[in-house]
Amino acid sequence: MDLIKTSQGVSDKVASLRSEGKSIGFVPTMGALHEGHLSLVKQCIAGNDVCIASIFVNPTQFDNKEDLEKYPGNRKQDCEYLAAAGVDIAFVPTEEEIYPEPDTRRFDFGRLDKVMEGKHRPGHFNGVAQVVSRLFDIVKPDRAYFGEKDFQQLAIIREMVRQLKLDTQIVPAPVVREASGLALSSRNERLAARQKEVAVNISGTLFKSREWANKYSVQETIRKVTDTLDSCDELKVEYYEIVDGHTLQPLTDWTDSDYIVGCIALFCGEVRLIDNIVYKTDSQIKGKQK
Ligand code: PAF
């Protein structure tokens, strides 16, 4: 694996690979890598001639300074992990490489970022769009891979690609879970053993809510999920929303959409976690899965 630290170095390398007719796949990460990232890398390797992964903890997407400072990561270990996974190029830039000038761009995502993560973490998605567009500008990937755990982020990145008329195809990858059901996240590293046991209730309750969805209204299902999780020691729900999977707007009735997803953010002690569950998939998605 090549380890490249400069934007120019990556751009030059990509230009040379392209001149050989190679397709470029890209997995952007913030490090603290786990099996979820590995699944993105596997998909990237299978779908492209060259797999590039980046490690960059993007300061502009953290609305909370303490969250940025506590973001886990071990560069050396992460690079070893990428090499073992079969990545061809690891791009590990400094902040100056990504932002030689402060990025003052303001994206307008309409209603997409006024709900859920966008509402509770003001400026977060603007920062995500800044870094991802900057990385895409350097790497110019044919395809880029993002996990569905960050469900709203995926929608925002698709919208950003549409608005900027980029040629990159955005490829989603399903949530990867531990055997216990807990969705893999770099933040899980910050959970104490006891908290990890409690956190299993998150996915357990979301899975159970699929049954509730057959009996109860949207509002009642939201209340049951929230009450169940709030009654667990150390868990405090920030929001649970049941939304249209495309527009991310909250629904009031199960018949309001063919693509329905429940998205949660909650604290386990001091660690903020997110997860989601699909209640209904639309025909477009079913078509693609065939
Ligand atoms: O999902 C992440 O890890 C980050 O938000 C991303 C897409 C790498 C941008 O910093």
Side-chain angles (χ1 to χ4, degrees):
M1 183 180 80
D2 284 346
L3 176 67
I4 305 184
K5 294 187 175 168
T6 64
S7 306
Q8 191 60 52
V10 171
S11 295
D12 290 349
K13 182 80 187 176
V14 168
S16 143
L17 290 162
R18 281 208 178 284
S19 70
E20 295 166 26
K22 302 249 164 75
S23 61
I24 311 289
F26 181 45
V27 181
T29 82
M30 297 206 298
L33 302 177
H34 50 67
E35 289 284 321
H37 296 108
L38 189 63
S39 81
L40 301 176
V41 165
K42 274 191 189 150
Q43 254 185 276
C44 181
I45 291 173
N48 302 275
D49 297 322
V50 178
C51 170
I52 303 181
S54 62
I55 303 175
F56 177 65
V57 181
N58 171 40
T60 72
Q61 72 187 73
F62 285 84
D63 53 317
N64 175 335
K65 198 161 169 274
E66 198 185 325
D67 198 23
L68 171 62
E69 278 157 11
K70 289 196 171 155
Y71 201 83
N74 174 336
R75 287 289 157 281
K76 188 166 173 286
Q77 200 177 300
D78 283 339
C79 286
E80 285 167 8
Y81 196 78
L82 292 179
V87 166
D88 300 296
I89 299 169
F91 178 34
V92 188
T94 58
E95 197 176 328
E96 291 69 38
E97 284 295 323
I98 296 298
Y99 301 117
E101 309 281 332
D103 193 337
T104 54
R105 287 175 299 162
R106 289 284 167 269
F107 291 82
D108 180 359
F109 294 116
R111 296 194 304 169
L112 269 191
D113 68 346
K114 304 294 180 292
V115 290
M116 303 192 289
E117 291 303 278
K119 183 169 157 194
H120 288 86
R121 301 181 68 191
H124 169 64
F125 287 124
N126 200 67
V128 169
Q130 287 175 339
V131 76
V132 173
S133 60
R134 178 76 186 118
L135 288 165
F136 281 8
D137 195 38
I138 297 163
V139 177
K140 297 201 170 45
D142 296 293
R143 289 171 207 86
Y145 296 78
F146 294 88
E148 284 176 337
K149 185 174 78 67
D150 294 287
F151 191 78
Q152 192 172 9
Q153 169 171 280
L154 190 57
I156 292 283
I157 289 169
R158 284 190 165 122
E159 176 60 15
M160 181 204 81
V161 164
R162 195 190 66 77
Q163 288 183 10
L164 300 179
K165 301 186 172 56
L166 303 180
D167 272 340
T168 301
Q169 183 194 341
I170 302 302
V171 186
V175 183
V176 181
R177 299 182 182 279
E178 288 188 357
S180 68
L182 178 65
L184 293 189
S185 163
S186 302
R187 291 168 195 263
N188 293 355
E189 278 185 30
R190 290 177 53 203
L191 297 173
R194 165 81 196 117
Q195 291 177 323
K196 230 176 152 186
E197 279 172 28
V198 176
V200 167
N201 287 290
I202 304 167
S203 55
T205 304
L206 292 184
F207 293 143
K208 180 86 190 152
S209 75
R210 280 202 179 122
E211 291 168 31
W212 295 337
N214 292 324
K215 283 194 261 175
Y216 299 108
S217 69
V218 168
Q219 278 315 316
E220 284 164 343
T221 306
I222 291 175
R223 197 164 328 115
K224 281 183 85 65
V225 167
T226 308
D227 290 351
T228 305
L229 290 170
D230 277 343
S231 72
C232 299
D233 262 0
E234 303 242 30
L235 297 186
K236 179 83 197 96
V237 175
E238 189 170 64
Y239 65 78
Y240 184 56
E241 301 263 16
I242 294 180
V243 301
D244 176 283
H246 295 294
T247 65
L248 307 187
Q249 300 311 298
L251 298 175
T252 48
D253 197 279
W254 294 113
T255 57
D256 283 349
S257 170
D258 286 334
Y259 183 22
I260 301 184
V261 184
C263 298
I264 194 159
L266 75 177
F267 284 90
C268 182
E270 288 189 347
V271 184
R272 189 173 183 281
L273 301 172
I274 59 172
D275 198 350
N276 61 72
I277 186 128
V278 177
Y279 291 107
K280 255 202 230 177
T281 54
D282 69 2
S283 48
Q284 193 190 351
I285 294 174
K286 279 183 199 142
K288 275 189 194 150
Q289 282 170 343
K290 269 181 204 155

